[in-house]
Amino acid sequence: MAPRPHFLVLTFPLQGHIAPALRLARHLLAAAPDALVTFSTAAPAHRRMFEEVQNGGGGGGDGDGDGDGDDGRLELLPFSDGTESGHVSGGDVAEFNGYMASFHAEGRRSVGELVDALAARGRPVSRVVYTLLLPWAADVARERGVPSALYWIQPVAVLAIYYHYFHGHAGVVDEHRRDQSFVVELPGLPTLAVGDLPSFITDAADPSDYFHGVFTTFRDLFDTLDRETPKATVLVNTCQEFEETTLAAVGAYDVLTIGPVLPSGDEAGLFKQDDAKYMEWLDSQPDDSVVYVSFGSLAFMAREQLDELLHGLEESGRPYLCVLRKDNKVKLADVEMDAAALRNGMVVEWCDQVRVLSHAAVGCFVTHCGWNSVLESIACGVPMVGVPQMSDQRMNAILVEHDWRVGVRAEVDGGRGVLRAAELRRRVKEVMGEGEAAAKVRRTAAGWKRAVAEALGKGGSSDRNLTAFVEGARSDI
Ligand code: UDP
């Protein structure tokens, strides 16, 4: 039998990393009928996502929760991060640094063993594909003569910012780190303010910052990419049409835009979904009428913010669906406006966001601008109100508002970082209202939805790039 391309897809155990990695795993399988994929994340997250299916006697399958069967071509195998329960948020800097140190040391050892074990049982890995926070994955692969590719799950513009920061521009950024409006010029990028840059290189460069361990991990990542010869391969979850002009800023790498990598059916995740009542509720709402609100899988909502949000939504008079995660410390019952006062909307702990955004009733997405959320919204043609907070979200919000013109950015209250009710109402009106400007945003969003469909369709830019990547792996065997 001819050798088959086998991709080992590795990811950091966060929902915003796991989702695009699992989706890519499926797309790799679809791109070549003989391809094999092993999907691997840290053991605690693996247990949380797949254990129920495996132990629940759900009838075999691959345990990825989609129940579609893939002829055994997808394997789900955890690696160790040296802990029993993974990273538990709420600790201090030392605790977080300790987790990252354990993740890197144990992860590296454990993934090395995994690659060796797969080879020993006749399923050798032909490409290691890894998401952002596992720089050692490239070293593990290189040590074994296996090519690797970084899977960059943020826009090319953000890849370019990190690249240039770590290649000659750290000094100027560090010097003006506290001056949000200080202007920086980075090659191939529009003029940016320090406040637009990822918080992991502005705030987290400071060793006392909680996320300093993320900063040093990014530094290690760009170091390991420099060790690849002749050039590192970087798959980016974006499409060429989104970021045509920025691609030249990352010419040091072989960049393949392959996104937006969307789910191809139900998928496993770290959070349990509410029952599907919200879909029935959406069915009962008029087209383009519902405001959907979610700040992703990591951000917590303070009581003040939740109060403002719910008041603003109620006062807008528009129906709304709002995600308030179970792990949020402030519960719905704690807010000034309790469940009984919610006349016009619905609050869920977790939903199937892509299904929600695909629903005809949804007319706007109030989002923290996590890159997955932005991609999903654009792919579904839903205009956004951006409320960026940290990491790459500020740059993503600029792309949404200025480059693609598929949304607007809401201002937060300077001192406290809270989105006020009146500002929320005003911004929602700017994308859902009657005026010509709002209609234009909606038309532009519909246009990008078509462009995404083309990029992903047969012969489209992302489809061609993914096929080239898979075939490259085959020709090396
Ligand atoms: N998501 C979801 N249900 C929810 C809220 C979020 O499925 O109720 C998913 C969303 O579709 C996206 C991911 O969680 O794929 C969030 O990733 P993103 O990059 O937007 O933000 P992060 O969680 O990393 O901050």
Side-chain angles (χ1 to χ4, degrees), residues 47 235 254 284 453:
R47 282 195 294 273
L235 305 175
D254 267 332
S284 69

Side-chain angles (χ1 to χ4, degrees), residues 29-318:
L29 291 174
D34 62 338
L36 304 172
V37 175
T38 300
F39 173 86
S40 185
T41 190
H46 175 97
R47 282 195 294 273
R48 194 166 146 188
M49 286 196 295
F50 305 123
E51 185 162 79
E52 250 171 51
V53 180
Q54 284 164 352
N55 295 343
D62 51 30
D64 60 347
D66 63 5
D68 66 353
D70 39 50
D71 319 323
R73 292 193 295 134
L74 176 64
E75 265 200 286
L76 307 164
L77 298 172
F79 63 83
S80 167
D81 64 1
T83 74
E84 263 307 301
S85 49
H87 168 60
V88 184
S89 62
D92 57 13
V93 183
E95 187 272 336
F96 183 66
N97 286 342
Y99 175 72
M100 291 303 279
S102 166
F103 177 82
H104 292 321
E106 264 303 291
R108 181 184 179 125
R109 187 197 56 74
S110 181
V111 166
E113 281 181 7
L114 178 61
V115 176
D116 294 340
L118 287 165
R121 69 170 158 91
R123 202 166 159 130
V125 173
S126 37
R127 284 283 187 282
V128 169
V129 179
Y130 61 101
T131 58
L132 308 188
L133 300 177
L134 308 76
W136 39 263
D139 304 326
V140 168
R142 201 180 306 116
E143 283 156 17
R144 288 161 177 79
V146 178
S148 66
L150 166 66
Y151 179 27
W152 184 262
I153 49 175
Q154 296 179 349
V156 172
V158 176
L159 174 66
I161 294 172
Y162 277 107
Y163 174 81
H164 290 295
Y165 175 84
F166 288 116
H167 293 85
H169 293 81
V172 66
V173 174
D174 291 351
E175 196 183 324
H176 299 280
R177 199 186 322 144
R178 303 272 167 235
D179 181 359
Q180 296 280 303
S181 57
F182 184 82
V183 169
V184 277
E185 302 279 353
L186 300 174
L189 285 160
T191 301
L192 295 167
V194 163
D196 302 330
L197 304 178
S199 59
F200 293 139
I201 52 175
T202 51
D203 311 12
D206 177 347
S208 65
D209 188 86
Y210 183 81
F211 290 115
H212 187 64
V214 175
F215 170 81
T216 54
T217 304
F218 271 110
R219 191 184 58 203
D220 293 348
L221 175 63
F222 285 85
D223 279 351
T224 201
L225 291 176
D226 284 347
R227 291 196 288 276
E228 294 291 323
T229 49
K231 272 184 175 186
T233 300
V234 184
L235 305 175
V236 186
N237 192 13
T238 190
C239 71
Q240 190 184 306
E241 290 75 5
F242 285 171
E243 298 191 84
E244 207 92 59
T245 54
T246 318
L247 282 164
V250 284
Y253 306 135
D254 267 332
V255 171
L256 290 169
T257 52
I258 55 157
V261 181
L262 299 169
S264 38
D266 291 347
E267 62 185 14
L270 289 178
F271 297 87
K272 194 174 158 294
Q273 255 184 58
D274 283 28
D275 61 32
K277 278 207 192 82
Y278 61 87
M279 289 305 290
E280 285 167 29
W281 178 81
L282 283 177
D283 287 342
S284 69
Q285 304 302 322
D287 281 4
D288 299 323
S289 67
V290 173
V291 181
Y292 169 61
V293 187
S294 165
F295 290 166
S297 63
L298 295 170
F300 291 110
M301 226 180 268
R303 177 177 180 147
E304 188 180 8
Q305 179 62 87
L306 196 53
D307 273 337
E308 292 285 341
L309 203 57
L310 293 175
H311 277 291
L313 289 167
E314 279 293 333
E315 286 163 8
S316 77
R318 300 174 196 277

Side-chain angles (χ1 to χ4, degrees), residues 15-16 19 23 292 294 296-298 323 350-354 368 370-373 376 393:
Q15 179 61 27
R23 292 170 190 179
Y292 169 61
S294 165
S297 63
L298 295 170
V323 179
W350 192 255
C351 65
D352 182 335
Q353 182 165 294
V354 177
H368 69 315
W371 185 237
N372 294 295
S373 293
E376 292 161 9
Q393 296 157 16

Side-chain angles (χ1 to χ4, degrees), residues 331-354:
K331 314 284 176 207
L332 189 57
D334 302 328
V335 300
E336 188 193 318
M337 184 178 201
D338 65 15
L342 302 179
R343 290 184 303 275
N344 216 10
M346 198 167 174
V347 178
V348 292
E349 288 180 339
W350 192 255
C351 65
D352 182 335
Q353 182 165 294
V354 177

